Amino acid sequence: MNPMNHPDFDLLQQVVQAVQSAGQAVLARFSADARPRDRNDIGNLIAANDTISRDILRPALSAACADARWDDDEAGAGALPPGAWWVTDPVEGAINHIHGLPDWGVTATLVRDNLPVLTAVHLPLSGDTYTALRGGGAWLNGIRLHVSGKTELNAAMVGTGQAVPDEGSAVYQRTGSSVTAMLEAALVVRVSVPATLQLVQVAAGRQDLFWQYSQVRSGLVAGALLVAEAGGSVTDLDGTPWHLDSSGFLAGAPALMASAVTILAGEDAR
């Protein structure tokens, strides 16, 4: 389908404008020399940036789709009530922003009846905007995206990372074991945050696979739609189709998924 013929194309353009405007406001607060002092300072800086971005996103997105409710729980997991919802991360990768690191952006995704249907991810430092429409493809600055065509895990760049701080020892142990297993199976393993900044690379074919044990809606819905619309597979860690109630997340090049499921399932069985 030509994306311009998609019924949500005009709505997506409004979402793009919103995330780009919010991104510019947060960019004005960015400094490569930023060095937060302590945990309290970190929390205050993140909250201030989130407020600035959200104050731009919320009215713009509410005007663009008045019947969509707002998902206020940025760290929320699981299914949403029926209907349309805006799921956003006002500063995805906020911890990177306040430490002067480049991997951060602004995301907004419209979810209808628990299916992400359109998304925009803006990365202000590069000026890049990733977009996707369910059934209409995934795009970077207007250029169609395609996932990697790799077929062997031993040639793959893969990655994982924390969903949120303080997840607990059970998640840490599973993550650590999975990283060890993937280090033995894949070419290169990245461990970084946020999830969306890895998932846009999977959608673009630069990275081949991403997995995560925790489920945080705002960190996964944008990337899940981008990867799927770029021709990738998005599943639970057992290989079944991913949904908001899934216990885990795996996305990547279709030919690599079965091998990844086998490796990750083996680690969970130990």
Side-chain angles (χ1 to χ4, degrees):
M1 174 187 288
N2 182 335
M4 295 184 68
N5 296 329
H6 193 285
D8 285 325
F9 179 79
D10 290 339
L11 176 56
L12 178 60
Q13 305 319 299
Q14 297 177 67
V15 178
V16 168
Q17 291 178 5
V19 297
Q20 289 177 346
S21 295
Q24 290 307 300
V26 180
L27 178 61
R29 295 172 56 84
F30 176 77
S31 170
D33 297 323
R35 301 292 184 272
R37 296 184 300 274
D38 52 29
R39 190 85 177 232
N40 186 62
D41 195 26
I42 288 170
N44 290 336
L45 289 167
I46 289 176
N49 288 337
D50 279 353
T51 296
I52 287 170
S53 180
R54 193 179 293 113
D55 284 350
I56 295 170
L57 291 174
R58 188 155 191 165
L61 298 179
S62 296
C65 186
D67 65 335
R69 286 172 283 179
W70 193 265
D71 181 16
D72 284 309
D73 190 357
E74 190 179 320
L80 291 161
W85 291 84
W86 286 115
V87 178
T88 70
D89 197 319
V91 190
E92 169 75 324
I95 194 69
N96 292 331
H97 178 286
I98 65 167
H99 283 87
L101 294 167
D103 284 346
W104 58 274
V106 178
T107 78
T109 305
L110 182 63
V111 175
R112 292 189 183 122
D113 295 327
N114 286 299
L115 286 175
V117 296
L118 66 84
T119 193
V121 176
H122 181 57
L123 310 182
L125 283 173
S126 66
D128 289 331
T129 302
Y130 294 81
T131 57
L133 288 162
R134 179 168 290 276
W139 308 80
L140 167 58
N141 303 329
I143 299 172
R144 186 71 182 260
L145 293 176
H146 301 280
V147 298
S148 164
K150 288 181 184 172
T151 59
E152 299 293 334
L153 197 56
N154 65 8
M157 177 178 285
V158 306
T160 188
Q162 290 174 266
V164 291
D166 305 318
E167 291 181 279
S169 60
V171 174
Y172 298 153
Q173 289 171 10
R174 294 179 77 192
T175 302
S177 295
S178 69
V179 168
T180 298
M182 282 294 190
L183 283 166
E184 294 176 350
L187 180 64
V188 174
V189 179
R190 301 178 65 201
V191 181
S192 64
V193 295
T196 303
L197 271 290
Q198 290 198 56
L199 286 167
V200 298
Q201 303 301 343
V202 175
R206 303 186 191 100
Q207 181 171 325
D208 305 298
L209 197 78
F210 174 84
W211 79 96
Q212 191 174 84
Y213 286 104
S214 298
Q215 291 282 69
V216 175
R217 284 188 298 267
S218 65
L220 294 177
V221 289
L225 184 59
L226 281 161
V227 171
E229 288 299 322
S233 298
V234 183
T235 73
D236 201 332
L237 293 172
D238 62 3
T240 58
W242 178 80
H243 51 81
L244 288 179
D245 271 332
S246 294
S247 60
F249 182 89
L250 176 65
L256 302 178
M257 297 292 282
S259 296
V261 166
T262 298
I263 290 166
L264 296 171
E267 288 310 302
D268 282 344
R270 292 186 183 185

